[in-house]
Amino acid sequence: MLKQFRTVAAVALLTVTTYAVAVDMNGAHPDTYVVKKGDTLWDISARFLTKPWLWPEIWQANPQVKNPHLIYPGDVLSLAYLDRVTAQPGPRQEAPINAIPLADVEPFLKNLTVVDSFKELPYVVGLEENRLRASAGQNAYVLGLQDAQPGQRYAVVRPTVRFGQPKPTDDLDARGDTVPGSGNLWKNYVATGDRSEFLGYELAQVNVGTLTQVASGGVQASTLKLEDSGREVRAGDRIVPVQANPYDLQFVPHAPASAAAPGHLRVLAVADTFTSGGPRDVIAISGGARDGIDNGTVFSIWRNGSHINDRVTGSKSTSRADDALKAGGSRVSLPDEYAAHAMVFRTFDKVSYALVMEGTRQARVGYELKHPDAQ
C-alpha cells in the first residue's frame, strides 16, 4: 500500500538554459549562496525565487563552469544580474547534487505500479513447507507461468488498493477483492460528485525471485526461489517480470501542459500517513498520462472552500460549526485555500505519484490540484 512507502526528497537535475527570462525574486534572497551537500535544487531556488519550480528556465551558467548542467557542493551561486543566477565553480571533490543520492528514492520508484487489471497475472498458490509467509532463500510455488524458463527473474507484487472517483481508495484482501466498507471513511473527506470512475489498482513489490523449476508432468506449479528479505510473500501475491529500469532518473519541474477541469485532479492517498501529509511526503493523484501529466509536472494543492452555516441569517437548529463538503440550504460557500506544491515523479495512465515540496498547511486526501500559479 502507498502508506508503506515514503521518500525524503525529490531527484532533480539542474538543466541550464542559454536565454534570459523575467525573474520574480524573493525579497530576502542572499547575494551569494555556497552549495552544500544535501541541498535540493528546489530548496536552493526557493531562497531566490517566489516560484521555485521555474528554476530550469532561469538559472544560467557562468561561462567558466565546464559542465553547465551540474551544480556541485562548494559552488558559489551569485545574483549577479536581475535576470539570472550565475555559478562560480568550487572544488570537484564530491558528486554533483541530484537533491539526494538516488539510492534513497529508488526503492519507492521501483516498488509501486498502477495497472488496470491484475487477476489474470500468475500468482503464488503455496509456500515451502506449507508456510503462511516466506522470505529470502525459501520457495514460493506459482500457478500460471506459461512458457517460462529456469533462470528467469520475477517480481512478487501485492495488490493493495483500488483507486477511483469519487471514493479515492478501497483496500484489497489477499485474493485481490475489495474489502467491504473499507472506503466508507472517505465520504468524510471527498464530496460525492458527478464523476464516477475506476482509476486503477496499486501493486506494491514485496519480493523478487529466480525461477528454478517449471511446471511439468504431474507438477502444476513452478518454483520461484525468493531473494529479498525485506517483505514476506504470502499466497495470493501476483508475479510479474522484473523490469530493468522502469522509471526516470532525472526530473525537471514544469507547469502542466494543459489545464485540468475544476475538481478533476484530487489527492487520492498520502504515503506513511492516514489522511494528510506535508513536505517530503508522497501522494497519489487522480490524473496521469491521459491528462497530459508527465514526470516533473508541478501542481498546487488546495483545500476546497468550506460550506458553513450562517449563524446570523441561516438556520438556528444546530450549534456546531458546519464544515460541509457541499453547498446548499443556509450554508455559505467560502474560497478554496492553498495548502502546498507537489511535483510528479512517477506517471501511469490515470494515476500519478507526486512529492509534496513545500507548503503552508498539510495536503489531505480529497484536496484539489490546480496550476502551480493558481490564486
PDB file of all heavy atoms in Angstrom, residues 289-302:
ATOM      1  N   ALA A 289      -0.984  10.086 -17.546  1.00  0.00           N
ATOM      2  CA  ALA A 289      -0.549  10.386 -18.909  1.00  0.00           C
ATOM      3  C   ALA A 289      -1.708  10.804 -19.807  1.00  0.00           C
ATOM      4  O   ALA A 289      -1.556  11.660 -20.680  1.00  0.00           O
ATOM      5  CB  ALA A 289       0.157   9.165 -19.498  1.00  0.00           C
ATOM      6  N   ARG A 290      -2.881  10.221 -19.606  1.00  0.00           N
ATOM      7  CA  ARG A 290      -4.017  10.581 -20.467  1.00  0.00           C
ATOM      8  C   ARG A 290      -4.450  12.028 -20.262  1.00  0.00           C
ATOM      9  O   ARG A 290      -5.121  12.609 -21.113  1.00  0.00           O
ATOM     10  CB  ARG A 290      -5.202   9.655 -20.184  1.00  0.00           C
ATOM     11  CG  ARG A 290      -5.800   9.841 -18.802  1.00  0.00           C
ATOM     12  CD  ARG A 290      -7.136   9.169 -18.650  1.00  0.00           C
ATOM     13  NE  ARG A 290      -7.729   9.456 -17.351  1.00  0.00           N
ATOM     14  CZ  ARG A 290      -8.950   9.097 -17.003  1.00  0.00           C
ATOM     15  NH1 ARG A 290      -9.701   8.428 -17.846  1.00  0.00           N
ATOM     16  NH2 ARG A 290      -9.410   9.403 -15.806  1.00  0.00           N
ATOM     17  N   ASP A 291      -4.074  12.614 -19.107  1.00  0.00           N
ATOM     18  CA  ASP A 291      -4.403  14.007 -18.801  1.00  0.00           C
ATOM     19  C   ASP A 291      -3.267  14.953 -19.161  1.00  0.00           C
ATOM     20  O   ASP A 291      -3.317  16.134 -18.810  1.00  0.00           O
ATOM     21  CB  ASP A 291      -4.729  14.150 -17.312  1.00  0.00           C
ATOM     22  CG  ASP A 291      -5.820  13.203 -16.855  1.00  0.00           C
ATOM     23  OD1 ASP A 291      -6.963  13.390 -17.313  1.00  0.00           O
ATOM     24  OD2 ASP A 291      -5.536  12.284 -16.075  1.00  0.00           O
ATOM     25  N   GLY A 292      -2.234  14.445 -19.845  1.00  0.00           N
ATOM     26  CA  GLY A 292      -1.103  15.281 -20.221  1.00  0.00           C
ATOM     27  C   GLY A 292      -0.085  15.464 -19.115  1.00  0.00           C
ATOM     28  O   GLY A 292       0.808  16.309 -19.229  1.00  0.00           O
ATOM     29  N   ILE A 293      -0.183  14.678 -18.049  1.00  0.00           N
ATOM     30  CA  ILE A 293       0.766  14.767 -16.933  1.00  0.00           C
ATOM     31  C   ILE A 293       1.971  13.893 -17.217  1.00  0.00           C
ATOM     32  O   ILE A 293       1.831  12.743 -17.645  1.00  0.00           O
ATOM     33  CB  ILE A 293       0.088  14.336 -15.615  1.00  0.00           C
ATOM     34  CG1 ILE A 293      -1.093  15.255 -15.300  1.00  0.00           C
ATOM     35  CG2 ILE A 293       1.075  14.310 -14.469  1.00  0.00           C
ATOM     36  CD1 ILE A 293      -1.939  14.789 -14.132  1.00  0.00           C
ATOM     37  N   ASP A 294       3.158  14.443 -16.995  1.00  0.00           N
ATOM     38  CA  ASP A 294       4.377  13.653 -17.125  1.00  0.00           C
ATOM     39  C   ASP A 294       5.265  13.924 -15.921  1.00  0.00           C
ATOM     40  O   ASP A 294       4.961  14.761 -15.072  1.00  0.00           O
ATOM     41  CB  ASP A 294       5.107  13.965 -18.432  1.00  0.00           C
ATOM     42  CG  ASP A 294       5.503  15.432 -18.550  1.00  0.00           C
ATOM     43  OD1 ASP A 294       5.147  16.229 -17.659  1.00  0.00           O
ATOM     44  OD2 ASP A 294       6.162  15.793 -19.542  1.00  0.00           O
ATOM     45  N   ASN A 295       6.363  13.186 -15.830  1.00  0.00           N
ATOM     46  CA  ASN A 295       7.261  13.340 -14.694  1.00  0.00           C
ATOM     47  C   ASN A 295       7.846  14.752 -14.672  1.00  0.00           C
ATOM     48  O   ASN A 295       8.324  15.254 -15.682  1.00  0.00           O
ATOM     49  CB  ASN A 295       8.386  12.311 -14.763  1.00  0.00           C
ATOM     50  CG  ASN A 295       7.875  10.900 -14.553  1.00  0.00           C
ATOM     51  OD1 ASN A 295       6.763  10.705 -14.087  1.00  0.00           O
ATOM     52  ND2 ASN A 295       8.680   9.917 -14.898  1.00  0.00           N
ATOM     53  N   GLY A 296       7.790  15.386 -13.509  1.00  0.00           N
ATOM     54  CA  GLY A 296       8.250  16.759 -13.351  1.00  0.00           C
ATOM     55  C   GLY A 296       7.120  17.777 -13.313  1.00  0.00           C
ATOM     56  O   GLY A 296       7.346  18.931 -12.945  1.00  0.00           O
ATOM     57  N   THR A 297       5.898  17.385 -13.675  1.00  0.00           N
ATOM     58  CA  THR A 297       4.768  18.309 -13.631  1.00  0.00           C
ATOM     59  C   THR A 297       4.534  18.781 -12.197  1.00  0.00           C
ATOM     60  O   THR A 297       4.506  17.983 -11.268  1.00  0.00           O
ATOM     61  CB  THR A 297       3.493  17.654 -14.171  1.00  0.00           C
ATOM     62  OG1 THR A 297       3.710  17.232 -15.519  1.00  0.00           O
ATOM     63  CG2 THR A 297       2.327  18.633 -14.142  1.00  0.00           C
ATOM     64  N   VAL A 298       4.363  20.089 -12.027  1.00  0.00           N
ATOM     65  CA  VAL A 298       4.160  20.689 -10.706  1.00  0.00           C
ATOM     66  C   VAL A 298       2.713  21.161 -10.582  1.00  0.00           C
ATOM     67  O   VAL A 298       2.165  21.770 -11.511  1.00  0.00           O
ATOM     68  CB  VAL A 298       5.121  21.866 -10.480  1.00  0.00           C
ATOM     69  CG1 VAL A 298       4.849  22.541  -9.132  1.00  0.00           C
ATOM     70  CG2 VAL A 298       6.570  21.382 -10.536  1.00  0.00           C
ATOM     71  N   PHE A 299       2.111  20.874  -9.440  1.00  0.00           N
ATOM     72  CA  PHE A 299       0.759  21.336  -9.134  1.00  0.00           C
ATOM     73  C   PHE A 299       0.764  22.072  -7.798  1.00  0.00           C
ATOM     74  O   PHE A 299       1.617  21.837  -6.943  1.00  0.00           O
ATOM     75  CB  PHE A 299      -0.218  20.157  -9.020  1.00  0.00           C
ATOM     76  CG  PHE A 299      -0.482  19.446 -10.312  1.00  0.00           C
ATOM     77  CD1 PHE A 299       0.155  18.249 -10.610  1.00  0.00           C
ATOM     78  CD2 PHE A 299      -1.383  19.965 -11.234  1.00  0.00           C
ATOM     79  CE1 PHE A 299      -0.090  17.585 -11.797  1.00  0.00           C
ATOM     80  CE2 PHE A 299      -1.643  19.301 -12.427  1.00  0.00           C
ATOM     81  CZ  PHE A 299      -0.994  18.112 -12.706  1.00  0.00           C
ATOM     82  N   SER A 300      -0.218  22.946  -7.633  1.00  0.00           N
ATOM     83  CA  SER A 300      -0.525  23.463  -6.307  1.00  0.00           C
ATOM     84  C   SER A 300      -1.706  22.664  -5.756  1.00  0.00           C
ATOM     85  O   SER A 300      -2.573  22.217  -6.508  1.00  0.00           O
ATOM     86  CB  SER A 300      -0.847  24.953  -6.342  1.00  0.00           C
ATOM     87  OG  SER A 300      -1.909  25.229  -7.236  1.00  0.00           O
ATOM     88  N   ILE A 301      -1.715  22.460  -4.446  1.00  0.00           N
ATOM     89  CA  ILE A 301      -2.738  21.659  -3.781  1.00  0.00           C
ATOM     90  C   ILE A 301      -3.616  22.596  -2.963  1.00  0.00           C
ATOM     91  O   ILE A 301      -3.109  23.430  -2.204  1.00  0.00           O
ATOM     92  CB  ILE A 301      -2.096  20.593  -2.882  1.00  0.00           C
ATOM     93  CG1 ILE A 301      -1.120  19.730  -3.684  1.00  0.00           C
ATOM     94  CG2 ILE A 301      -3.161  19.726  -2.222  1.00  0.00           C
ATOM     95  CD1 ILE A 301      -0.323  18.767  -2.831  1.00  0.00           C
ATOM     96  N   TRP A 302      -4.937  22.428  -3.088  1.00  0.00           N
ATOM     97  CA  TRP A 302      -5.876  23.360  -2.479  1.00  0.00           C
ATOM     98  C   TRP A 302      -6.929  22.634  -1.650  1.00  0.00           C
ATOM     99  O   TRP A 302      -7.483  21.615  -2.079  1.00  0.00           O
ATOM    100  CB  TRP A 302      -6.587  24.185  -3.549  1.00  0.00           C
ATOM    101  CG  TRP A 302      -5.662  25.122  -4.264  1.00  0.00           C
ATOM    102  CD1 TRP A 302      -4.720  24.798  -5.192  1.00  0.00           C
ATOM    103  CD2 TRP A 302      -5.569  26.535  -4.073  1.00  0.00           C
ATOM    104  NE1 TRP A 302      -4.052  25.932  -5.606  1.00  0.00           N
ATOM    105  CE2 TRP A 302      -4.550  27.013  -4.942  1.00  0.00           C
ATOM    106  CE3 TRP A 302      -6.262  27.448  -3.277  1.00  0.00           C
ATOM    107  CZ2 TRP A 302      -4.200  28.351  -5.014  1.00  0.00           C
ATOM    108  CZ3 TRP A 302      -5.926  28.783  -3.346  1.00  0.00           C
ATOM    109  CH2 TRP A 302      -4.894  29.229  -4.223  1.00  0.00           C
TER     110      TRP A 302
END
